[in-house]
């Protein structure tokens, strides 16, 4: 139903819209006729034990997940696995502020939590796809955070998990980062308390959003070693104007804020009354915890501390000068590291 | 003349206001009756060869410079040296948007460059203090950037230089940081294009400014290792609300923007047509180049590259979990490192 020039199948397809019905949210409200945009690759086998679930990261869609992780001959091989990519609520393809009508439209959209996404995904894979097991749940960034929520909330369903460049609980400093990004969007006068007609009118706020993604999304070495040059940009300014700004600016501010507030509140320990060790202790999945060493959002030390609370976890600190946005997959060496680690995880006995 | 509740001698004194006359600026305008707020410690000796000049850093004043660097028995000892601390133009004590009348008042204040500050300081020390030599020019952050400008512009006057946590040229990514901070101040509706009556009305913009100083001013290890706890704060939020926000929020947005635009444009290579190696090659001072390893504004690798272009430079990468704001002096180990390195520099033959 979206007529938004960015959030459509031409840019992000193919995907199927699946109505999972009314979703009772952690905030106490109910999201009626919750729609999930789902892209699948490969076939479910007879034993129904080859399904891989990949939730999306902040501002990303199923398209970039496919481009970065999936391919014949790669670890996530559609010839061997039934891969299910679910777009997170608020990302512009699934139910989101910009494509919802009525009182939940735009800034009226309710607060969504990672738990809501995982509850919705659970209903999708059990009731709509008839699955009782997931061979692997994996994701990067907020996708890793949904992966943690899956492994803690539904441990018996998750055989393996891979949390890439993400944590089970958002750090306090990450909350200030989220506040800063949200503030940058909301204080654009054209944001009009979220009631803008054209999202592109919020250009100053979206430019500030792109600046902050540039400052925290990459790394000091990315700029010092001029890793933007192999991408075809002669200067940091050219990289910002030619890549970061055009990449993030077509997005919808209310959608972004829905995801930022979700990110800000991530804490799987809520399932154990705030006890992170007890929550991560629930995990029975064979786990790969794989931060990016240069990541400014999710530092490896935090990921290591969480990995040590998981029974069967392999911790692997990958390296990419692109920092957190190594997830974009432009760094071939990093992609090879990911494939090697995922292959090891999928082969682990 | 300032009636501002923050920029006065009660908070930042003692200092003397010295009118150095009309200052022709790099931007082409003239700052009439340029006033420099100057704090001195100790006495000039008969040979007039014991003078140390310390310009201030971004948002700081002569008061914090005194507290962090100067003391009997320390490297910068007022019993041995005549220490001259000059408040940079725009910092609220020297000529600044908030204390200037007429067309240059508030947002009408002209663009100031580091070269303007150093030219003004040169006039002060030569014409008003009668000095022909400076035993040491030193500073942290933008104070280091003024130190570089001194050593390149007036090499024969500068016997020794110490550039702490700063670079001779602002990096491209630092320009995006500056743009982000400036944007945060300017987009507060109460900023009113700089024509606000009460600077404290710009509270949303000043809070965003404090957030960005928190995100870039400190370091990942500061938060991961909870170094805010020894400062008396139980959480990152308490540290932000109880320290960072109250520290930066009393400041004047137009003053801050004047310093940010100055910072953004720093480039000593302008004295050699953009050739940084040629500009730093002018330096004859015995130099100490001392970054902070965890600094997110001025990474050690950039400082090392500049040190290698200086004839007689000692490079020393100091360490503080406080990152750039190690300059605040709350980290006793770091202060000892600074004193040791400055003593070595002052004793170097």
């Amino acid at each position: 139903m979206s007529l938004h020039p960015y959030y459509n199948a031409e840019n992000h397809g193919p995907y199927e819209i699946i109505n999972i019905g009314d979703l009772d949210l952690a905030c106490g409200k109910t999201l009626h006729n919750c729609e999930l945009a789902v892209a699948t690759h490969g076939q479910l086998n007879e034993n129904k034990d080859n399904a891989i679930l990949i939730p999306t990261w902040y501002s990303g869609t199923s398209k970039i997940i496919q481009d970065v992780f999936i391919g014949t001959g790669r670890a996530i091989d559609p010839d061997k696995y039934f891969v299910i990519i679910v777009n997170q609520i608020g990302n512009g393809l699934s139910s989101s502020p910009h494509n919802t009508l009525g009182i939940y439209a735009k800034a009226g959209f309710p607060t969504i939590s990672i738990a809501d996404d995982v509850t919705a995904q659970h209903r999708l894979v059990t009731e709509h796809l008839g699955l009782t097991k997931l061979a692997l749940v994996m994701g990067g960034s907020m996708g890793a955070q949904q992966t943690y929520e899956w492994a803690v909330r539904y441990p018996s369903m998750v055989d393996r998990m891979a949390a890439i460049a993400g944590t089970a609980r958002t750090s306090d400093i990450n909350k200030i980062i989220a506040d800063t990004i949200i503030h940058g969007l909301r204080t654009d006068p054209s944001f009009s308390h979220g009631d803008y007609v054209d999202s592109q009118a919020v250009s100053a706020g979206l430019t500030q959003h792109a600046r902050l993604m540039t400052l925290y999304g990459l790394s000091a070495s990315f700029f010092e070693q001029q890793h933007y040059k192999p991408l075809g940009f002669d200067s940091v300014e050219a990289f910002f104007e030619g890549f970061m700004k055009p990449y993030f600016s077509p997005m919808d501010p209310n959608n972004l804020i829905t995801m930022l507030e979700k990110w800000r509140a991530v804490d799987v320990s809520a399932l154990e009354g705030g006890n992170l060790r007890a929550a991560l202790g629930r995990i029975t999945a064979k786990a790969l915890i794989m931060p990016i060493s240069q990541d400014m959002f999710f530092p490896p030390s935090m990921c290591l501390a969480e990995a040590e609370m998981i029974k069967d976890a392999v911790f692997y600190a990958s390296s990419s000068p692109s920092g957190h946005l190594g997830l974009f997959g432009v760094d071939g060496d990093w992609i090879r590291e990911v494939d090697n680690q995922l292959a090891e995880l999928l082969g682990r006995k």
Side-chain angles (χ1 to χ4, degrees), chain A:
Chain A
M1 62 149 290
S2 171
L3 297 175
H4 193 286
Y6 179 76
Y7 301 107
N8 55 49
E10 288 63 39
N11 292 330
H12 300 281
Y15 51 81
E16 179 184 3
I17 298 293
I18 299 178
N19 184 329
I20 62 159
D22 296 352
L23 183 67
D24 294 331
L25 304 170
C27 69
K29 296 179 178 177
T30 298
L31 186 59
H32 298 288
N33 293 304
C34 175
E35 293 186 331
L36 296 181
V38 181
T40 65
H41 302 266
Q43 302 299 324
L44 185 64
N45 63 12
E46 287 204 357
N47 297 340
K48 295 189 170 186
D49 62 4
N50 71 328
I52 293 177
L53 176 67
I54 314 180
T56 59
W57 55 60
Y58 173 72
S59 83
T61 70
S62 43
K63 182 68 165 63
I64 191 169
I65 298 297
Q66 171 189 334
D67 295 344
V68 172
F69 292 116
I70 301 173
T72 299
R74 297 190 56 189
I76 310 303
D77 187 337
D79 296 345
K80 291 168 58 179
Y81 296 102
F82 176 52
V83 185
I84 309 153
I85 312 175
V86 182
N87 289 274
Q88 69 169 290
I89 298 169
N91 86 326
L93 300 188
S94 294
S95 290
S96 301
H98 95 278
N99 62 19
T100 298
L101 304 174
I103 59 167
Y104 283 179
K106 299 181 174 179
F109 200 72
T111 302
I112 306 296
S113 75
I114 285 279
D116 298 326
D117 276 283
V118 170
T119 305
Q121 290 161 21
H122 180 265
R123 192 184 298 176
L124 172 79
V125 297
T126 54
E127 299 177 16
H128 292 259
L129 301 175
L131 303 176
T132 57
K133 280 276 186 187
L134 292 166
L136 170 66
V137 180
M138 64 166 277
S141 195
M142 283 183 80
Q145 297 186 300
Q146 291 166 80
T147 297
Y148 269 113
E149 183 75 19
W150 257 101
V152 172
R153 183 174 285 266
Y154 305 111
S156 64
M157 271 193 77
V158 182
D159 285 345
R160 290 171 170 77
M161 66 170 279
I164 302 171
T167 55
R169 179 159 66 181
T170 293
S171 72
D172 292 340
I173 189 64
N174 247 329
K175 291 176 183 174
I176 293 184
I177 297 172
D179 290 341
T180 307
I181 303 174
I182 290 168
H183 181 107
L185 290 166
R186 286 202 170 131
T187 53
D188 183 335
S190 303
F191 181 70
S192 308
H193 305 287
D195 198 30
Y196 52 84
V197 174
D198 174 8
S199 66
Q200 295 316 292
V202 194
S203 59
L206 287 164
T207 296
Q208 184 75 336
H209 174 271
R211 285 196 195 100
L212 287 159
M213 295 308 289
T214 302
L215 293 180
Y216 257 78
L218 296 138
S219 77
S221 51
F222 178 86
F223 296 105
E224 288 166 40
Q225 299 162 16
Q226 306 189 319
H227 286 280
Y228 45 84
K229 288 197 169 173
L231 303 178
F233 301 99
D234 291 341
S235 68
V236 171
E237 186 185 9
F239 170 71
F240 177 73
E241 293 294 334
F243 182 83
M244 296 301 283
K245 200 170 145 184
Y247 183 86
F248 287 103
S249 292
M251 299 178 185
D252 179 83
N254 285 321
N255 292 357
L256 293 172
I257 289 169
T258 292
M259 289 183 280
L260 285 162
E261 291 186 326
K262 189 194 300 183
W263 178 3
R264 191 191 190 292
V266 167
D267 186 359
V268 299
S269 75
L271 288 162
E272 285 286 354
N275 184 332
L276 185 62
R277 185 172 296 280
L280 296 179
R282 288 187 181 193
I283 297 175
T284 55
K286 296 179 173 64
L288 166 66
I289 309 304
M290 184 173 171
I292 298 170
S293 298
Q294 298 89 337
D295 194 323
M296 293 171 73
F297 287 116
F298 302 103
S301 56
M302 280 195 64
C303 301
L304 177 59
E306 293 178 341
E308 289 171 341
M309 301 180 197
I310 301 172
K311 294 183 194 72
D312 185 7
V314 168
F315 176 83
Y316 179 85
S318 64
S319 178
S320 172
S322 300
H324 191 66
L325 297 190
L327 288 170
F328 280 7
V330 295
D331 178 349
D333 292 339
W334 185 78
I335 287 297
R336 275 182 288 279
E337 279 190 279
V338 171
D339 266 28
N340 293 339
Q341 291 300 316
L342 288 173
E344 188 280 333
L345 173 64
L346 287 164
R348 218 189 295 170
K349 289 286 174 283

